[in-house]
Amino acid sequence: KTYSYPSETVNGPTEDSAEAQKRPQFGTRFLTDPRQVFQHNAWDNVEWSAEQEQAAQKKVQENSQPLPAEKQEEFDNRANEYWNDFYTIHENRFFKDRHWLFTEFPELAPQQKPPQEAEENLINGEDVPSTHNDAVFPGASASYRILEVGCGVGNTVFPILKTNNDPGLFVYCCDFSSTAVDLVKSNPEYDPSCCHAFVHDMSDASAEYPIPDHSLDVIVLIFVLSALHPQKMQNSINRLARLLKPGGVLLLRDYGRYDMAQLRFKKGRCLSDNFYVRGDGTRVYFFTQDELHDLFSSAGLEKVQNLVDRRLQVNRGKQLTMYRVWVQCKYRKVLLIVVLTHVMEHAAYLGCT
C-alpha cells in the first residue's frame, strides 16, 4: 500500500535549490490548453470547474461515516507510537529537503533588518519587561529566532541552516516523535551552537517550550497542524502565538479541502468531518481558508496571507493527472502601535475624539 504524507515527493515542489530560488510564488506555469496537459510534470494555480468541485464533495460525503468512538480514542492515545513507527521505518529517506520554502516564505532567508528590541516589550497593550535577554536558554543571545514545530527529520531545518548565513540566527525544532528528533540530532549537519532540537507535543497546550514567551521572530508549521485532533488545534495555536514577538510571523502550509489525498480515502478511514486515519495509524485533517483564518485570528494574529494553491501534478508515463490542494498562510502578531492606530481611527469614526 502507498499513503500520501506531507512530503515533497508528493505534496510540494521538487526543484533543485537554484531553480527554487528563481521560481515565483506558486509558480507561473499555467495550463491554457487542456490538450497540452502531459507536456509538463505540473501546472500551477489550476482552476476547478463547478462539476469537479461537486464531484469532490460527493466523494467526501460517501466516505464520511466516522469510526466508532473507541477506535478514535485508540488512534488518539497511540498517536506518538504511530509516528515513532513511521520514522523508525523510513528514517530520513521519505521526505525531500524543502528548498522551495525560501521562495514561498522569504522570512526564512537572511534578514537585513536590525532586531526590534523596543517593540519586543509591547505585548497586548502592556509594557512587559524583556526578561529573556538575561535568561539562560538555548539561543538566548540570538537576534533572530525561528521555531519549526513538527520538524520530522529536518527537511526544513537543515535547508534553513545551510541557506541562512545570518550570524544572529538560531533555529529551534521540535517533533512529537522522539525517533524523529533523534534522527535530527544524529545528522552530521546538526550544530547545537545554532540549533536546538527537542521532543514536544504541540497538542498539549500545557506543555512548556524551552523558549520564553515573546521571543520568536518566526514559527513554521509545514504539514503538521493537520495531524492534530481538530478539537486541540485552537489551544495549540494560542500557545504558539504567545511565543511570538510583536511583529513576529507564523507561517503555515498544509492540506486543503478536497486535496487528492482526501479523495483517495476509502470507507472506514474517517474519524470526523474532513479528518481521517491513514493505514499506518497517523491522522490528517483537510482545511479550508476560513477555518485557518478563524484559528489564527482567534489567537490574536492578523492576516498577511491566506491563499489556496491548486496544482495539477502529472504522471506522464502513466498518463495520470493528480489534483493537489494546499493552503498557505502568514499571520502576524500585532504591534501595539498598530492596535492603537486602529483604536484611534475607530474612535474618530464614531466622533468620540
Side-chain angles (χ1 to χ4, degrees):
K1 292 183 179 180
T2 58
Y3 306 104
S4 291
Y5 293 92
S7 75
E8 277 52 67
T9 58
V10 177
N11 294 331
T14 57
E15 302 100 327
D16 65 33
S17 182
E19 289 175 340
Q21 294 289 349
K22 297 176 184 177
R23 184 175 61 82
Q25 288 186 322
F26 292 166
T28 56
R29 182 178 289 154
F30 306 121
L31 180 62
T32 56
D33 183 353
R35 295 171 298 179
Q36 303 296 316
V37 65
F38 293 109
Q39 295 299 309
H40 297 285
N41 291 328
W43 301 92
D44 300 302
N45 297 334
V46 177
E47 293 293 330
W48 283 32
S49 66
E51 293 78 11
Q52 187 176 2
E53 187 98 12
Q54 290 169 2
Q57 293 174 355
K58 181 180 178 182
K59 181 72 172 176
V60 168
Q61 187 63 36
E62 288 173 353
N63 301 324
S64 62
Q65 183 65 32
L67 290 172
E70 59 270 19
K71 287 295 294 182
Q72 297 203 37
E73 186 175 357
E74 176 187 343
F75 288 121
D76 195 50
N77 293 336
R78 298 179 62 190
N80 178 267
E81 176 185 335
Y82 291 128
W83 279 111
N84 274 334
D85 288 346
F86 172 83
Y87 286 111
T88 297
I89 294 169
H90 297 286
E91 294 186 339
N92 61 356
R93 298 183 297 269
F94 196 88
F95 304 112
K96 293 187 177 182
D97 283 353
R98 297 162 172 158
H99 297 289
W100 55 268
L101 283 171
F102 304 103
T103 303
E104 305 295 349
F105 299 131
E107 294 85 356
L108 302 176
Q111 303 297 303
Q112 302 301 319
K113 63 181 182 179
Q116 298 172 323
E117 296 179 359
E119 292 173 344
E120 280 189 44
N121 299 339
L122 303 174
I123 311 296
N124 295 329
E126 298 179 11
D127 185 17
V128 179
S130 183
T131 55
H132 61 259
N133 288 331
D134 300 321
V136 178
F137 65 95
S141 62
S143 59
Y144 197 77
R145 303 186 189 96
I146 298 172
L147 165 66
E148 185 192 13
V149 182
C151 63
V153 297
N155 300 102
T156 295
V157 169
F158 292 120
I160 291 175
L161 292 173
K162 279 189 244 181
T163 303
N164 192 331
N165 58 3
D166 181 351
L169 173 70
F170 197 92
V171 179
Y172 307 86
C173 58
C174 63
D175 201 277
F176 189 31
S177 166
S178 59
T179 304
V181 173
D182 287 342
L183 287 166
V184 170
K185 289 183 174 181
S186 64
N187 191 306
E189 296 177 359
Y190 181 73
D191 182 357
S193 70
C194 57
C195 184
H196 178 64
F198 58 99
V199 177
H200 189 87
D201 178 5
M202 73 173 291
S203 69
D204 182 0
S206 65
E208 289 297 321
Y209 287 86
I211 316 156
D213 289 352
H214 323 308
S215 61
L216 294 176
D217 295 276
V218 181
I219 295 175
V220 185
L221 301 173
I222 305 296
F223 296 106
V224 63
L225 188 61
S226 54
L228 270 62
H229 192 288
Q231 293 179 357
K232 297 181 178 180
M233 291 179 183
Q234 186 65 68
N235 285 339
S236 300
I237 296 299
N238 292 349
R239 181 67 189 94
L240 288 174
R242 282 166 45 196
L243 295 175
L244 283 173
K245 299 176 182 178
V249 293
L250 188 151
L251 311 176
L252 173 140
R253 188 171 173 88
D254 219 321
Y255 294 103
R257 189 68 47 85
Y258 308 136
D259 176 62
M260 175 190 73
Q262 181 178 16
L263 302 184
R264 282 184 170 180
F265 278 108
K266 307 298 184 184
K267 286 186 173 69
R269 290 291 166 193
C270 183
L271 299 172
S272 60
D273 288 347
N274 306 297
F275 188 45
Y276 304 83
V277 61
R278 301 183 179 98
D280 60 2
T282 61
R283 299 173 298 175
V284 59
Y285 187 85
F286 296 85
F287 293 100
T288 65
Q289 290 172 278
D290 288 344
E291 286 172 341
L292 287 167
H293 179 75
D294 289 344
L295 284 171
F296 296 139
S297 60
S298 295
L301 305 177
E302 65 174 358
K303 182 177 76 172
V304 178
Q305 180 189 77
N306 185 326
L307 301 172
V308 172
D309 183 5
R310 297 181 185 270
R311 189 163 298 168
L312 174 58
Q313 295 182 336
V314 175
N315 184 321
R316 289 190 275 181
K318 296 182 179 180
Q319 297 284 287
L320 296 175
T321 57
M322 299 165 284
Y323 288 88
R324 306 314 310 264
V325 183
W326 305 297
V327 185
Q328 182 165 302
C329 296
K330 298 182 187 182
Y331 279 74
R332 178 183 293 120
K333 190 167 186 175
V334 183
L335 292 168
L336 175 61
I337 188 171
V338 175
V339 175
L340 289 177
T341 300
H342 288 325
V343 170
M344 292 174 65
E345 288 176 348
H346 186 62
Y349 175 76
L350 295 176
C352 297
T353 55

